[in-house]
Structures are given as structure tokens and as C-alpha cells.
Amino acid sequence: MDSKSPISASVISFRNDPNDDAIYYMIQVKNKTSDVWQLEKRFSQFEDLAKKLKVLFGEQLPSLPKKKYVTFLVGKTPEDIEKRKAGLDEFIQNLASRPEVVASEPLKQFLEIEKNAKEIIVNPPKQIFEFKGFLHGIRDFTISSEQGLMFVITSDCSVINRLDAYLTNMKAPWESEKGDQALIPVGCVECWLQQESGEFSRLWVKMYNSQAITCYWDAAASVLLVGLDSGSINYLYVPEKEGFKKFTESLEIEQHTDRVMGLYYDNKRKYLHSISKDRKYRVLNLRKGELVADIEPDQYELTCLLGSEERKKTFVGDRHGEIFIYDIMKKRPKLIIKIPTNQLFIRGFFIDNQRNYLFSISHENGVILIVDIQLPGREQYSKEVAQLNGKSKSREIGWSAKRGEIYVGNIDGTVTIWDARKSQQLYVLKAHDSDITKLQWLDADQTLLTAAKDKVIKVWSMPQHWRDPKIVEKELEQDQQQAKQQNVEQQYKKAQQLFDQGTQDDDEDDMAVWHKDQQRHSDTKYEDIVELK
């Protein structure tokens, strides 16, 4: 039994039922508290299980044995059935060895875990609220718990609809200006404020002729930045003294020539940092309206940006899988280290300043990257320390320092939850019906917010304990006892091997000693004994 999994399972036999002309495979399941049960399943039920699990785990699943075409004239041979049994055994053993799969609803139902061993069941996250009614699919959002404020960035995800809108919104040379509001909105930013009742209400909406891609909110400066697909950045001043009910300044900044992928605002200097698919990392001095830095870190598109006021650093990722760390103490950002990750398309950054770790994820293959960025001021010694293999096409990453958990949003609408301490998956949550585009962990509330292209933001409460701590402790004790027993057996086996080797190396004269009559001391006299040959 895998020490990380609470159960083991195997296909131990099969039987042919003549009544319904079907073959049933006997599965035996054991848990660490010595419960054992058996159940029978047909091959079609294994296929149904695989389909349901694929919704949660994608291609991260073992393969079923191939289904051989059989006509009504030609039946399965005993060899065919035995081969299929072996394939199903390998399939179910693999699934049972993975805790995150054991925790899933499809496998719990298939193995009848709740009926036979309820104590091993994982407590799932619970949805406690959801925001609906957005005009388009959600691209990004940011929430300020202290201010009870949320900004949501949405865009039309349909290529046909966007093309139609672009053509409609296009101005001919003889047409007069139509203002900065879109005729047919392709993207927008929405401002939501929490009321005394605790519920959020929408205060205002600003629409765009281009897709809105990303945003950055600086609570201290009351500045909202919105990055657009066109390469422009919309600077909005949303004063708290006005109750956030309106923006009093709006500035359109032509910062890039392609999609804006990341934003950061240095409110002390009034510097706007941005990256784009045009491969440029640019810094604009908003006081003077001048570009103070125009950097091209490498030849690849830039994909994510994170600014740290505490460290006075920015972290930039690109499509080729490289991470760049810049010192922004001076006027122009200074590159202090470039970290190759051997992955592709870096998406999402998160810093744990207590542990000095930078978390990121590769969109291409779902590999979670953990970089030790050292103490503030020592980032030049940063190095990659770990990789966790996740699901391909991951889009977002979040982190709970208190729980030691990593949250990964995937293109199939699932969120994979990892125990970072044990480097293992805990649970796969089917959160949305389309691409996860944003995650945000609220440490004070112990809740996870997820957003997707399905036009919904959901709020999830994580369980205080994934499993009953007493049961987990009992399983740990049994693991330790089993490991101790295995160690004793290994030592005995090793000693026996050494003894056997030693007796083989002795010559016949030495061996003859063991054949002679020996004496054993007993109280006050010696007794003759003879060793067994």
C-alpha cells in the first residue's frame, strides 16, 4: 500500500455470468485500519469511471486495457480475459495509490468507500457564494478585503463576436469622434463595493473597444490600471473619499503595440511598470509623462509580471520559461539575475516573503516551479529548488502560507489543490465550466476565489481538516509499525545472506567443526550436544 494513500485496491479474480452473458471482475479494497471489502464490476463500469475521472484529471490517468473487437460469433478466449484482468488490476492499483484520485467523487462511488470505510473520506471544499451577471467572460479581478472593494475585468471570449464588434466600432476618416466608450463593448471593468449587509453591489462599469486583459489596484493611491489587448493601458483614479462611486480621472496610455500581460504601479514615484506580448518591459513616469525604461529582456513574449514593494524588485516571466528579477530602486530597472526553468510559458507569480519562495507555473505542461529567492537584497542568489508535475494548460496559481497549500487553476475549469509540504495533490475541485482565469486566496477569511470565462466568480471555503486528524494519526502509526517490521525483515534477510555467503566461502576443514560433538555449559557440568547437519 502506498504510504501516501489511505487505501490499496486490486483486481483479484473474475467470473463469467451466463445469465447476462457478462464478465465480472472482483476488486479487493483495503484501508490502513485493516478494513477489507470486495466488489464486482463489469468492464463497461471501468470505462465509465475513466470518463468521469478524465473530467477532473485530464490526461494524468493510467490507460485502460484496449477493448478488443469481438463479434457475436467469436467470444473472448481465457487468455483475452486474463490479459484484460491484468490490465484492469494495473489501472485500479494506480488510481488507488493516488490520494487526490481516492478523494474524488467518481472513485469514492466506484469503490463504495463511503459505505465501507467512511473515515478515510476527504472533506471537500464548499461553495459559499458566487457573483453572477457579468457582461462577458472574466479575465481578471482583484479584491481588497479591507476596503470591501472588487474590480472585475471581463472580455468577450468569442472571436466572431469580437471581429464583428471591431468592424462596427471602427471609425471611417470622415466620421466624427464617438468618445472613449465602446459602441459594442468588447471588454470592460466593473467596480463592486461591499454593503453593510455583507453583499456586494455593482457601482459602475467602464467599457472598451478592445479586450480588457489584466488589472492592478493600488489601494493606497486609489489608482486602477487596466491593460488592454490593443497594447493600451487605462489609468483610472477612483478616490475613496467619493466612496469609489466614480472615477474622477481617466487616462489612455499608448504603452505597447500588443496585448498587455502584466501591470505594477510604484505609487511613491508614480511609475507605471508593464509588460506585453510585444516582448517589451516598459516603465512610464506618470508625473512627467515620459518613458524611463524600454527593456527587451529576451527575444520571447513576456507573459507575467509581479512587483514587490517590500523587496523593491519586479519579477518577469516569458514564454520561453525564463524568469527575470529586476532591482527597481533606481530610475531604470536593473537586471540582477535571469533564471532558466527549462519549462515553457510562465504563468502567474506568487511570493511568500516569510519563506522567501517564488511560486509560478508553466502553462505548457502544468509544472509548478518553486524558486528560493533568498532574503530581501540577496535575490541575485535565487535558484530553482523544486518542481511539481501538474496538469497541462494551467493558467493561474495561488498560495496559502498559513495552510501550506498551492492552488492551480486549469483550462478545464478545475482547481488542483497541493500540499506543498508533502509535494502531493490533495484534491481536484471542479469549480467552473470553462477556463479558470484568476485565483485569489483570502488568508483572513480562509477562502479561495475563483473566476472563469463562464462569467462567474465563486467563493470557496476550505475545510479546516481535509481528513479526521485522529484517523490520519492512526494510519501514520500503522505506517511506522509496518516500516519498522519491514526494516527488521530486511536486516534479518541481509544477515542471513551474509551468513550463507560466509559458510560457502569456508573450506571443508572449517565446515567440519560444525559437525563435531559440542559441549554446552549447564549449571555445574558440561553436556555433550550434536549440531544438526
Side-chain angles (χ1 to χ4, degrees):
M1 182 181 295
D2 191 302
S3 62
K4 293 181 180 180
S5 176
I7 68 167
S8 65
S10 59
V11 178
I12 59 174
S13 64
F14 62 86
R15 68 177 179 88
N16 195 335
D17 191 335
N19 294 324
D20 54 6
D21 192 27
I23 298 171
Y24 288 86
Y25 297 88
M26 177 70 73
I27 305 171
Q28 181 169 282
V29 189
K30 299 179 182 178
N31 67 2
K32 291 184 177 180
T33 56
S34 302
D35 292 321
V36 181
W37 66 98
Q38 296 179 346
L39 55 150
E40 290 184 328
K41 299 289 181 180
R42 295 178 59 171
F43 184 77
S44 60
Q45 291 174 293
F46 281 89
E47 288 183 310
D48 184 57
L49 170 66
K51 289 177 183 178
K52 291 177 179 177
L53 289 176
K54 191 172 182 179
V55 174
L56 297 174
F57 301 98
E59 302 303 321
Q60 293 183 305
L61 292 172
S63 299
L64 280 169
K66 292 183 179 179
K67 193 170 184 178
K68 187 176 180 181
Y69 178 72
V70 179
T71 69
F72 69 93
L73 295 176
V74 182
K76 298 182 184 69
T77 67
E79 291 77 14
D80 291 333
I81 301 173
E82 192 63 45
K83 189 174 180 180
R84 175 175 284 185
K85 170 186 167 293
L88 292 176
D89 182 42
E90 183 179 349
F91 174 77
I92 205 68
Q93 283 196 46
N94 184 298
L95 297 181
S97 70
R98 296 168 55 181
E100 75 280 12
V101 180
V102 175
S104 68
E105 197 61 36
L107 194 65
K108 284 195 300 184
Q109 292 179 1
F110 183 82
L111 295 181
E112 300 177 7
I113 292 176
E114 189 163 4
K115 174 183 174 183
N116 295 283
K118 192 173 184 179
E119 70 278 1
I120 73 168
I121 291 179
V122 168
N123 299 312
K126 294 182 179 179
Q127 182 183 327
I128 56 177
F129 191 73
E130 67 179 18
F131 298 92
K132 287 184 174 181
F134 299 104
L135 184 61
H136 301 303
I138 299 164
R139 282 281 189 177
D140 195 6
F141 73 88
T142 181
I143 187 166
S144 174
S145 298
E146 294 180 357
Q147 296 172 308
L149 186 66
M150 180 172 69
F151 293 101
V152 184
I153 303 296
T154 69
S155 292
D156 194 327
C157 299
S158 167
V159 176
I160 295 176
N161 290 347
R162 291 202 304 271
L163 181 61
D164 182 56
Y166 291 151
L167 293 173
T168 303
N169 296 334
M170 190 180 297
K171 301 183 183 72
W174 59 85
E175 289 182 307
S176 61
E177 291 295 318
K178 300 176 183 177
D180 61 356
Q181 290 284 16
L183 296 177
I184 298 179
V186 179
C188 66
V189 55
E190 302 185 10
C191 178
W192 292 65
L193 186 65
Q194 192 170 24
Q195 306 301 311
E196 292 183 1
S197 63
E199 294 189 359
F200 279 77
S201 63
R202 184 163 33 206
L203 296 183
W204 52 266
V205 178
K206 188 177 190 304
M207 299 183 180
Y208 301 101
N209 292 331
S210 176
Q211 283 192 91
I213 302 300
T214 186
C215 68
Y216 183 88
W217 168 247
D218 189 302
S222 291
V223 169
L224 176 68
L225 303 173
V226 180
L228 303 176
D229 190 51
S230 63
S232 298
I233 298 171
N234 186 204
Y235 168 97
L236 298 171
Y237 179 61
V238 190
E240 187 172 4
K241 64 181 180 181
E242 301 286 344
F244 307 110
K245 293 181 180 179
K246 60 180 180 179
F247 52 89
T248 58
E249 294 180 36
S250 177
L251 178 65
E252 298 296 325
I253 304 168
E254 302 296 329
Q255 185 86 328
H256 293 278
T257 59
D258 206 338
R259 173 177 291 186
V260 177
M261 297 295 292
L263 297 162
Y264 172 65
Y265 183 66
D266 182 345
N267 59 40
K268 293 181 179 177
R269 296 184 177 188
K270 293 190 181 299
Y271 278 13
L272 189 164
H273 296 249
S274 61
I275 61 162
S276 167
K277 288 179 68 176
D278 64 10
R279 306 192 298 275
K280 299 291 187 179
Y281 171 23
R282 288 176 170 161
V283 184
L284 180 70
N285 184 333
L286 286 171
R287 280 197 182 100
K288 298 182 179 180
E290 66 178 18
L291 201 64
V292 298
D294 188 0
I295 304 167
E296 190 168 324
D298 213 327
Q299 59 182 317
Y300 305 101
E301 295 176 1
L302 302 181
T303 53
C304 57
L305 168 68
L306 175 67
S308 172
E309 182 179 352
E310 178 181 342
R311 291 176 176 267
K312 299 295 186 284
K313 303 291 187 300
T314 54
F315 302 82
V316 177
D318 73 5
R319 184 175 282 273
H320 192 245
E322 292 172 323
I323 298 174
F324 306 86
I325 304 179
Y326 290 88
D327 188 328
I328 57 173
M329 285 288 289
K330 296 182 179 180
K331 183 177 181 179
R332 177 185 171 86
K334 178 183 177 182
L335 178 65
I336 59 176
I337 189 172
K338 171 177 147 181
I339 307 170
T341 66
N342 298 318
Q343 303 300 327
L344 293 176
F345 204 153
I346 301 296
R347 287 295 297 258
F349 279 139
F350 198 96
I351 288 180
D352 184 333
N353 281 313
Q354 292 182 338
R355 295 175 175 85
N356 300 306
Y357 283 155
L358 174 73
F359 296 87
S360 186
I361 193 160
S362 164
H363 173 68
E364 191 71 20
N365 57 16
V367 171
I368 298 170
L369 308 167
I370 304 177
V371 179
D372 183 353
I373 55 175
Q374 308 290 322
L375 292 167
R378 294 179 56 83
E379 287 86 359
Q380 66 268 30
Y381 302 110
S382 298
K383 61 181 180 180
E384 184 181 319
V385 294
Q387 292 187 2
L388 304 175
N389 294 319
K391 189 186 294 186
S392 62
K393 305 302 179 185
S394 300
R395 296 181 58 102
E396 266 292 314
I397 188 167
W399 166 249
S400 168
K402 185 179 293 185
R403 297 171 64 95
E405 292 173 359
I406 302 170
Y407 309 101
V408 177
N410 305 303
I411 197 171
D412 58 8
T414 62
V415 176
T416 306
I417 303 170
W418 288 78
D419 184 333
R421 299 182 184 93
K422 297 180 180 178
S423 300
Q424 73 178 55
Q425 293 183 26
L426 289 169
Y427 195 85
V428 177
L429 172 67
K430 180 60 177 174
H432 293 269
D433 295 326
S434 60
D435 306 24
I436 302 284
T437 53
K438 181 70 175 181
L439 300 173
Q440 186 168 343
W441 173 257
L442 301 181
D443 209 42
D445 301 324
Q446 292 290 288
T447 55
L448 179 71
L449 279 72
T450 63
K453 291 183 179 180
D454 59 10
K455 304 181 183 181
V456 181
I457 296 177
K458 296 182 180 181
V459 185
W460 304 89
S461 173
M462 295 294 117
Q464 183 179 1
H465 300 291
W466 288 99
R467 292 184 58 210
D468 186 338
K470 293 181 180 179
I471 299 297
V472 174
E473 184 178 355
K474 184 177 179 182
E475 290 178 352
L476 181 61
E477 290 176 356
Q478 292 180 336
D479 283 340
Q480 292 172 344
Q481 290 175 0
Q482 185 177 1
K484 186 177 179 180
Q485 180 64 29
Q486 289 176 349
N487 186 45
V488 170
E489 291 174 357
Q490 288 174 357
Q491 289 181 349
Y492 175 79
K493 186 176 181 180
K494 185 177 181 181
Q496 186 66 41
Q497 289 174 344
L498 290 172
F499 173 77
D500 292 342
Q501 183 179 356
T503 57
Q504 291 172 5
D505 292 340
D506 288 335
D507 56 30
E508 291 183 359
D509 292 337
D510 292 330
M511 289 291 291
V513 173
W514 297 97
H515 297 237
K516 295 178 180 179
D517 292 346
Q518 306 292 313
Q519 288 187 324
R520 179 176 62 199
H521 184 265
S522 176
D523 295 330
T524 59
K525 65 177 182 179
Y526 288 91
E527 295 178 348
D528 290 339
I529 62 171
V530 177
E531 290 292 330
L532 294 176
K533 294 182 181 181

